[in-house]
Amino acid sequence: MRRPKSLNAFDIIASSLSFDLSRLFEERGERMHFMSGALVADIIAKLEEIAGMVSIEATRNGQKGALAISSKVFELTRELVMVQVCKKAGNTAEYRRFCDNELKAGMRGLVVDALPPPVDPDECC
Amino acid sequence: MMGCLPTKQVGRSTHSLNPREAVALAAETSFTVNEVEALYDLFRKLSNSIIKDGLIHKEEFHLALFRNKKTNLFVDRVFDLFDQKGNGVIEFDEFVRSLSVFHPDAPEEQKAGFAFKLYDLRQTGFIERHELKEMVLALLDESDLNITSDAVEMIVDRTFDQADTKGDERIDQEEWNEFVKNNPYVLRNMTLPYLKDLTMVFPSFVIHSEVSEADMVA
């Protein structure tokens, strides 16, 4: 499998939420990051297993229509990767439920320390 | 004897966009006249959110970007860069010209230049190693991401050594331009894709075009 894209320090800074002028125009995109020391192949396999799909860009039919999420893996150091998960389409509440219940539980074994706390709903709209 | 003169200004606020200014700004930036007008609607909202004077103050800028008005390393830098005249407020022409840098059609050199100034925290004309580390730590701090300080050191050093080709412990504009050419992904937050079709993406920007055909003639 291809090696994930390697992030440098400026990439990390560029992903800063505070330097995201899109907030001037629209609601913040639903997105989360977490760190892992596991092998990329294991992370992807786990994501696929949790979301029940075969590709990283995945859609599943939820109660409120299709929920599409996309996930990207970036390399930080030889031992550490950053996984970005974001909602591409679908009901936001359903996406959050997926993250809180299924994603976090499923990824627990692979993630370094705690996963980020749930996003403050007031901050997102 | 008194009479009434009908005026075009009926119903307009005192701070309204001069059609000639809209045309001039469109000519100097990547925006169309309609998009400049749409930006004016946004500008009016932002500039009157706290202090109702039609100028964007720092607190209003913070409010727009961060609802809870949290002070932040980057928001301050961005504000200072938008405030081209350096008079402590962002005026409409500064707003449009600065946002133009983020337009998908804006030249790479403009984006690279803006980013360099942004990251040159103390405006020394160079990005120093400790400044880079400071920014990474600030980002990690605000996002609850967990990286060991060893990993941070490694990432910062690796990046810095790659960029500092002259080996003088600081990244200058020339080294930055080279670095950006080799790592274009670094500039991805310098483009806001929907700026390209502002009026279509945001139907809530109601277009009251004040610009007549006559004004459009060069």
Side-chain angles (χ1 to χ4, degrees):
Chain A
M1 98 175 332
R2 263 182 24 209
R3 268 185 75 174
K5 187 194 179 319
S6 199
L7 286 187
N8 60 57
F10 288 106
D11 290 324
I12 297 176
I13 294 166
S15 68
S16 160
L17 292 172
S18 72
F19 182 43
D20 183 6
L21 291 181
S22 62
R23 284 154 164 262
L24 286 177
F25 300 94
E26 65 178 15
E27 79 174 57
R28 195 197 332 177
E30 288 287 335
R31 188 159 66 164
M32 64 183 285
H33 296 103
F34 54 89
M35 301 296 175
S36 173
L39 292 174
V40 175
D42 289 347
I43 296 173
I44 292 174
K46 197 72 188 174
L47 282 169
E48 289 173 354
E49 183 195 308
I50 296 166
M53 31 156 158
V54 294
S55 63
I56 300 187
E57 285 241 356
T59 308
R60 142 214 280 198
N61 282 316
Q63 292 161 331
K64 306 221 166 125
L67 175 65
I69 72 162
S70 134
S71 177
K72 289 186 186 152
V73 182
F74 300 99
E75 182 185 283
L76 287 173
T77 66
R78 272 214 308 270
E79 292 94 23
L80 209 58
V81 296
M82 179 172 84
V83 184
Q84 174 183 287
V85 178
C86 65
K87 181 192 83 146
K88 286 236 105 125
N91 179 271
T92 299
E94 184 144 13
Y95 168 76
R96 297 231 187 111
R97 261 197 305 278
F98 167 75
C99 286
D100 288 341
N101 301 339
E102 299 174 64
L103 184 65
K104 291 185 181 184
M107 295 301 294
R108 194 154 284 143
L110 298 174
V111 169
V112 170
D113 209 12
L115 277 163
V119 174
D120 175 6
D122 290 338
E123 281 246 290
C124 268
C125 294
Chain B
M1 188 136 168
M2 302 233 307
C4 283
L5 283 175
T7 82
K8 269 203 226 157
Q9 309 288 324
V10 170
R12 264 208 246 171
S13 72
T14 47
H15 299 284
S16 55
L17 180 61
N18 181 322
R20 294 203 179 281
E21 192 185 353
V23 171
L25 283 171
E28 289 168 38
T29 64
S30 305
F31 295 116
T32 64
V33 173
N34 275 349
E35 287 167 344
V36 172
E37 291 177 328
L39 286 176
Y40 189 71
D41 283 341
L42 174 63
F43 178 80
R44 224 180 2 194
K45 189 177 70 168
L46 298 179
S47 63
N48 293 311
S49 60
I50 302 176
I51 301 168
K52 300 193 190 314
D53 63 352
L55 301 166
I56 301 180
H57 294 256
K58 200 168 250 190
E59 316 96 280
E60 293 171 323
F61 197 66
H62 283 192
L63 183 63
L65 292 179
F66 268 115
R67 295 263 180 85
N68 58 9
K69 297 193 250 177
K70 197 165 48 170
T71 308
N72 174 285
L73 188 72
F74 296 116
V75 175
D76 285 343
R77 277 309 288 140
V78 175
F79 182 89
D80 289 341
L81 287 177
F82 270 56
D83 176 22
Q84 292 163 341
K85 297 186 194 87
N87 58 355
V89 287
I90 300 173
E91 298 165 33
F92 182 62
D93 64 316
E94 293 172 320
F95 186 67
V96 175
R97 291 207 186 86
S98 304
L99 278 178
S100 182
V101 175
F102 293 82
H103 195 282
D105 296 340
E108 281 284 298
E109 303 84 62
Q110 253 184 35
K111 296 175 189 284
F114 193 100
F116 183 79
K117 287 201 215 102
L118 176 70
Y119 299 144
D120 175 15
L121 295 178
R122 282 164 196 88
Q123 299 133 71
T124 55
F126 304 97
I127 302 171
E128 273 116 41
R129 192 186 294 258
H130 65 90
E131 285 178 327
L132 181 56
K133 185 165 178 191
E134 190 180 333
M135 290 187 282
V136 173
L137 288 175
L139 179 273
L140 295 176
D141 196 45
E142 80 184 25
S143 63
D144 296 316
L145 286 175
N146 230 312
I147 310 188
T148 64
S149 57
D150 279 353
V152 171
E153 285 283 329
M154 196 180 334
I155 296 165
V156 170
D157 287 345
R158 191 181 65 206
T159 305
F160 198 84
D161 294 338
Q162 193 195 337
D164 180 26
T165 49
K166 292 176 191 161
D168 59 355
E169 280 305 291
R170 50 196 196 175
I171 302 169
D172 61 31
Q173 181 95 64
E174 200 182 3
E175 288 168 320
W176 172 250
N177 291 338
E178 192 59 36
F179 179 74
V180 156
K181 271 207 203 89
N182 298 326
N183 299 278
Y185 196 65
V186 159
L187 289 187
R188 81 180 183 288
N189 63 336
M190 295 302 305
T191 295
L192 297 169
Y194 36 77
L195 285 183
K196 197 173 174 69
D197 294 304
L198 203 60
T199 56
M200 282 187 267
V201 174
F202 296 100
S204 58
F205 282 128
V206 180
I207 306 302
H208 295 296
S209 187
E210 306 288 0
V211 179
S212 71
E213 283 303 314
D215 291 325
M216 303 267 271
V217 175

